[in-house]
Amino acid sequence: FSSGLIAETLSGVLGKRSSVDRSSPQEAKLRRESIAEMVERPVHLANVGEHADTILGVAEALEETSGVTATETMGQCLWRHRDASALQGEEFRDIVEDVTWVEGSAEASSWTVVSSCTTVFRELTRERGGRMTAKTWGKAMELMKGNPIIRPKVNRNDVHRVFHREAMREVRERGQQQAGDGGFAIGISRFLALLLDMAELMQVHAFM
């Protein structure tokens, strides 16, 4: 979503709440000024808790107008800011790294994007005990280039750069040692993270 659309939606959500407020005219004026200020200034991640109901209201309003589920919107926000210091605690790791939001509003079935990617990962890493090296990641990208929409968008430098970034992130978080001559290796969660990184760089939806 563009910053303009988010600001407009936020203003609408806060405006509706203000309209049902039975405060005095002076208090109502102060509230409107506060709303205008909130629309213009970013909310620091460390202070999200005090604005949680408003943030959820914006996500739900965007779902009504765009069809993008609130779950996907919140998931993307967490994903984009996963390196923020406020989200580095061990207690946040599972929810921040949960990428099931890419399923969007698809109806429940035995096949999902995440399960399909997991199957590909297991097949490619079967001989390495479920660990993916840079070479194997390259093979995965070659498979994805079978998609005619994705093929012209793949940048070789991006392929190598995002793998190194995710591998180093895993080293920092897990304390992993180098995987012999093959260099660093990653697990399934980092593989899914790589796919999201590449989707963002190629400017395609992760569903693809």
Side-chain angles (χ1 to χ4, degrees):
F1 301 111
S2 68
S3 58
L5 176 59
I6 293 175
E8 180 182 346
T9 305
L10 174 59
S11 181
V13 169
L14 295 176
K16 288 180 180 178
R17 294 180 181 179
S18 179
S19 66
V20 298
D21 189 359
R22 298 183 178 181
S23 303
S24 68
Q26 183 62 28
E27 290 174 328
K29 179 182 178 181
L30 291 174
R31 182 177 292 277
R32 286 195 297 272
E33 292 175 351
S34 176
I35 289 173
E37 181 183 353
M38 186 176 180
V39 169
E40 294 299 325
R41 65 178 172 83
V43 175
H44 193 281
L45 281 175
N47 301 324
V48 163
E50 62 187 82
H51 301 293
D53 61 331
T54 301
I55 294 172
L56 182 58
V58 170
E60 291 174 341
L62 288 170
E63 180 174 349
E64 293 179 3
T65 58
S66 69
V68 177
T69 66
T71 297
E72 179 174 351
T73 297
M74 301 304 288
Q76 286 198 43
C77 287
L78 287 171
W79 176 258
R80 285 177 178 270
H81 298 285
R82 65 191 185 280
D83 290 329
S85 58
L87 297 176
Q88 295 309 299
E90 183 70 27
E91 66 273 25
F92 301 128
R93 177 174 295 169
D94 288 343
I95 190 170
V96 170
E97 294 185 353
D98 184 350
V99 298
T100 54
W101 53 266
V102 302
E103 306 293 351
S105 58
E107 296 182 359
S109 67
S110 58
W111 182 92
T112 65
V113 173
V114 173
S115 65
S116 179
C117 291
T118 300
T119 298
V120 171
F121 176 85
R122 288 173 177 169
E123 289 299 318
L124 289 175
T125 62
R126 185 181 301 277
E127 296 181 358
R128 296 191 62 88
R131 304 293 295 174
M132 176 172 280
T133 62
K135 183 177 180 179
T136 311
W137 163 242
K139 291 180 180 179
M141 285 306 304
E142 287 301 315
L143 290 175
M144 283 188 281
K145 285 167 66 176
N147 184 321
I149 297 177
I150 290 178
R151 186 184 306 116
K153 296 177 178 289
V154 175
N155 181 298
R156 183 184 297 273
N157 291 331
D158 288 340
V159 172
H160 295 301
R161 181 168 55 83
V162 297
F163 181 86
H164 182 265
R165 183 174 63 193
E166 289 299 329
M168 292 307 298
R169 181 179 281 116
E170 179 150 318
V171 169
R172 290 193 300 270
E173 294 182 1
R174 314 289 185 182
Q176 177 194 327
Q177 300 297 315
Q178 283 197 337
D181 296 334
F184 292 114
I186 61 173
I188 179 61
S189 64
R190 293 298 165 201
F191 173 65
L192 296 174
L194 285 174
L195 298 180
L196 290 176
D197 287 339
M198 288 302 300
E200 185 172 358
L201 289 169
M202 293 186 293
Q203 298 184 332
V204 299
H205 192 278
F207 190 91
M208 298 187 67

